[in-house]
Amino acid sequence: MIKIGEWLDKKTGYFIGRVYMLVLLFISNALIVVGAAMHYIYGNSIILLSIGVISTIICIAILSTPVKIDDIK
Amino acid sequence: MVVKEGGKGTMSTQLNFTENKKIVNQMRYTESALKEKEHLIELNKKPFSQKLAGYLKLSGPGFLEAAFTLGAGSFTSSITLGAAYGYTMLWIPFYSFAFGLFMLALATRFVTVSEIPVIQAQNKYHGKFIGSFSTGFVACFIASLVFSFGQYALGADSVTSAVGLVGLNIPKEISWIFIFVTSAPLALLYGRGNGTKYVKMIEDVMKILILIMLIVFGAVLFVTGINIPEMIKGIFLPKIPSGIEGITMLIASLTATIGVMDWVLFNNAMYSRGFSEEHETLGRFDSVMGGLIPVTLVLSLVSIAFAEAFAGKPSIPTSSSELASALISIIPSVWIQAGFYIGIMALIISTMIGLSIVAATTFCQSFNLEPDPAKWYWAVLILSPHIGFLGAFFGKPVMVVITVAAMQSIFNWLSGMSWYLLGNDIRYLGKKVVQSRIFNIGILLSITILNMVFLTFILSKLGVWPA
């Protein structure tokens, strides 16, 4: 299994893993905003908001992994 | 011309970090900047107290950034929050700037490690749409033109009100000239000469303007009163407002204090001073001592004055000018009334100087022009935000401000992501890429706030979130 740190800085297609994770972070943030609107304005369940918060925390935890610089001479 | 040494590195791909370090702007290191670098090396060996005094003397870009942040937007946000929520929202400017510190630290890293100005680096690694267009042209240059209308509207209003205290009647259509003649010539001096003399002079002017704000807004509190325990609790213990409107106000206020223009101004100010590798600690120190502390203090003083005067009372005025007039009506001393208006003028003058510097430096970076004050276009660019004088005649062009704010919302988060990627890009920073997980978390939290601002803006346009 590929390590997260390596995947983040590995180029896949046009972009490195960090770009894909940033897109995921954006989607997670969108879930928070949409979830907050649904819960506070329309009185719906808090599930979407909770998913957004949890996935945002996970994305930030992954994206905060520093670049491995051991291989740089 | 000074070229830093660069180390050739390999990872899975060949790095062009060395090549990047050779792309040196000839204006980058002046003789005085090199002397400062040597002085800093010596200073770092001295005891803490001497180092602290030395750092305070060398600080400047942080104060420039703070004085720029303290403008019509943050003033309006602070007085509205103070009047509506009392002491409970004092934490917003503090935490907003504290989150912004991570981006300012990143800006410091860019300037002190790489020779490529940040917008040009964005162009190189992420494309001109992200760099020149989104960050430079829209989020900074165009925004600096449009946001100046609100500055002039509030500034002219305060000049008219101040002279009205001594029985003179100067309409706003004339009083805007005072804002122009005090800010434009100073902004035109920025970067002139061979050394960093005028850059430092403008930084000193900003320090004086901040001091004026602290004195005069502090004096207002002698009249309105202050509850110190409530103030400490309000600044350091965050309290989220209830309901969707409270959350909307919270999100809007978090970005009123610090955004992309602030990061870029701080970056460019350090660049103008010739900050080098030895300056990184100074840059971080400056962002706290020159940025966080003055901004928190000034906005807290303003917010407390309005909290003491209006919180909990019925029928509170809603606009900033009505609120200011209502506060003035309860201040008995004409000197303190005048001081209050002088404080607002200091806010506006410092912000106009900052807007001019942002407009000129970002336009030059976006269109690859030499940022040379001797060139004809420099003066045009420095003066361009003063188109905002029309704000004294017609107020803020609401639709234009909304459109630009929308464009800024769209591009701010793109710029934030681009900066995060640059901070983690060995091609740009070599071995000095961000190596702290906490540093990265701070940057990502700032991006999250920008994302949410953009998303709430979209939802409010779709009618599913309050405006």
Side-chain angles (χ1 to χ4, degrees):
Chain A
M1 194 178 127
I2 191 165
K3 286 180 183 170
I4 283 175
E6 284 173 17
W7 178 78
L8 280 174
D9 296 301
K10 188 184 171 196
K11 199 169 181 183
T12 312
Y14 288 110
F15 304 111
I16 58 166
R18 283 182 199 271
V19 176
Y20 294 108
M21 281 307 297
L22 282 171
V23 174
L24 255 179
L25 174 68
F26 184 79
I27 294 168
S28 306
N29 296 157
L31 288 179
I32 294 178
V33 178
V34 174
M38 286 180 73
H39 178 65
Y40 291 109
I41 300 174
Y42 303 105
N44 288 335
S45 155
I46 203 165
I47 290 176
L48 207 58
L49 175 62
S50 308
I51 293 171
V53 172
I54 292 165
S55 54
T56 294
I57 293 168
I58 293 169
C59 286
I60 289 177
I62 293 171
L63 278 165
S64 64
T65 309
V67 180
K68 204 176 170 192
I69 58 167
D70 298 347
D71 299 336
I72 302 175
K73 285 177 187 172
Chain B
M1 186 168 78
V2 177
V3 181
K4 286 187 193 173
E5 290 174 10
K8 196 178 180 183
T10 54
M11 201 165 163
S12 56
T13 55
Q14 182 73 32
L15 299 179
N16 50 4
F17 182 61
T18 312
E19 177 199 326
N20 290 344
K21 293 200 100 181
K22 286 179 182 168
I23 304 170
V24 178
N25 186 328
Q26 296 212 15
M27 288 179 71
R28 178 88 160 93
Y29 299 112
T30 58
E31 200 180 323
S32 54
L34 290 171
K35 274 185 188 166
E36 187 176 295
K37 182 178 170 176
E38 283 168 21
H39 173 60
L40 207 53
I41 293 168
E42 288 302 309
L43 193 64
N44 284 333
K45 294 173 190 163
K46 293 193 171 159
F48 177 75
S49 58
Q50 285 182 38
K51 204 156 78 173
L52 186 70
Y55 272 18
L56 274 173
K57 203 175 165 191
L58 291 174
S59 65
F63 285 95
L64 178 64
E65 206 293 299
F68 168 70
T69 299
L70 295 165
S74 54
F75 176 79
T76 305
S77 167
S78 293
I79 64 173
T80 312
L81 284 172
Y85 296 98
Y87 284 76
T88 54
M89 293 294 126
L90 285 181
W91 61 274
I92 288 183
F94 175 73
Y95 281 92
S96 172
F97 205 101
F99 276 128
L101 282 180
F102 289 101
M103 300 308 286
L104 299 184
L106 191 58
T108 310
R109 179 66 59 90
F110 293 162
V111 174
T112 56
V113 173
S114 177
E115 302 294 351
I116 310 179
V118 65
I119 291 173
Q120 286 172 19
Q122 287 180 279
N123 285 347
K124 183 170 175 144
Y125 300 117
H126 306 147
K128 285 187 175 173
F129 178 77
I130 302 282
S132 285
F133 184 72
S134 304
T135 306
F137 189 66
V138 177
C140 290
F141 179 71
I142 295 291
S144 69
L145 304 192
V146 173
F147 294 159
S148 63
F149 283 75
Q151 310 298 330
Y152 262 102
L154 182 63
D157 208 27
S158 62
V159 175
T160 297
S161 302
V163 295
L165 293 173
V166 289
L168 291 173
N169 181 21
I170 299 178
K172 283 195 288 182
E173 288 76 9
I174 294 174
S175 59
W176 66 268
I177 297 169
F178 177 77
I179 302 295
F180 179 79
V181 298
T182 44
S183 57
L186 286 168
L188 282 167
L189 282 177
Y190 192 81
R192 286 203 172 269
N194 291 325
T196 52
K197 183 182 163 191
Y198 289 109
V199 171
K200 284 183 178 169
M201 193 197 91
I202 298 301
E203 289 170 356
D204 289 340
V205 168
M206 295 303 211
K207 288 178 187 175
I208 293 166
L209 290 171
I210 289 173
L211 188 65
I212 291 170
M213 293 175 213
L214 286 171
I215 292 169
V216 297
F217 292 137
V220 173
L221 292 190
F222 276 105
V223 178
T224 59
I226 179 170
N227 184 335
I228 302 281
E230 280 295 310
M231 182 191 81
I232 294 168
K233 207 171 122 188
I235 291 176
F236 297 108
L237 295 178
K239 190 177 174 187
I240 309 285
S242 59
I244 201 78
E245 284 178 11
I247 293 170
T248 306
M249 187 175 262
L250 169 76
I251 292 171
S253 305
L254 277 172
T255 48
T257 312
I258 192 157
V260 175
M261 285 171 91
D262 301 272
W263 315 339
V264 174
L265 175 67
F266 186 61
N267 181 285
N268 291 354
M270 288 185 289
Y271 201 85
S272 303
R273 275 278 297 273
F275 273 30
S276 53
E277 280 162 303
E278 286 72 22
H279 285 79
E280 185 159 14
T281 313
L282 173 66
R284 290 184 177 193
F285 172 87
D286 200 14
S287 63
V288 175
M289 292 300 287
L292 176 71
I293 294 173
V295 167
T296 306
L297 280 177
V298 171
L299 294 182
S300 296
L301 293 179
V302 168
S303 207
I304 290 167
F306 284 84
E308 286 287 344
F310 302 109
K313 290 183 181 165
S315 58
I316 302 166
T318 48
S319 79
S320 58
S321 56
E322 283 172 357
L323 270 168
S325 303
L327 181 74
I328 285 296
S329 67
I330 59 165
I331 296 175
S333 162
V334 75
W335 292 106
I336 298 179
Q337 289 179 0
F340 179 75
Y341 286 126
I342 289 168
I344 298 177
M345 286 177 226
L347 279 167
I348 301 302
I349 292 164
S350 62
T351 303
M352 283 311 301
I353 295 170
L355 284 172
S356 293
I357 295 168
V358 168
T361 53
T362 54
F363 191 92
C364 287
Q365 283 184 28
S366 298
F367 293 95
N368 218 10
L369 296 170
E370 195 183 339
D372 182 358
K375 303 276 187 195
W376 67 269
Y377 54 78
W378 181 264
V380 174
L381 292 170
I382 283 281
L383 293 176
S384 56
H386 290 277
I387 185 74
F389 82 90
L390 293 170
F393 292 84
F394 310 112
K396 278 191 292 189
V398 177
M399 283 316 294
V400 178
V401 172
I402 289 174
T403 308
V404 171
M407 288 169 80
Q408 240 200 348
S409 298
I410 292 167
F411 295 129
N412 272 359
W413 60 275
L414 276 175
S415 305
M417 288 184 186
S418 168
W419 276 44
Y420 159 80
L421 289 171
L422 284 179
N424 286 277
D425 195 334
I426 49 174
R427 294 169 304 171
Y428 185 44
L429 297 180
K431 282 191 172 184
K432 295 285 276 182
V433 283
V434 175
Q435 284 298 287
S436 158
R437 189 178 277 273
I438 293 170
F439 193 177
N440 261 342
I441 288 174
I443 295 164
L444 290 160
L445 285 174
S446 297
I447 293 172
T448 296
I449 292 169
L450 293 177
N451 286 348
M452 300 229 268
V453 169
F454 166 65
L455 290 158
T456 47
F457 180 82
I458 296 294
L459 287 189
S460 67
K461 288 289 127 191
L462 293 172
V464 290
W465 190 282

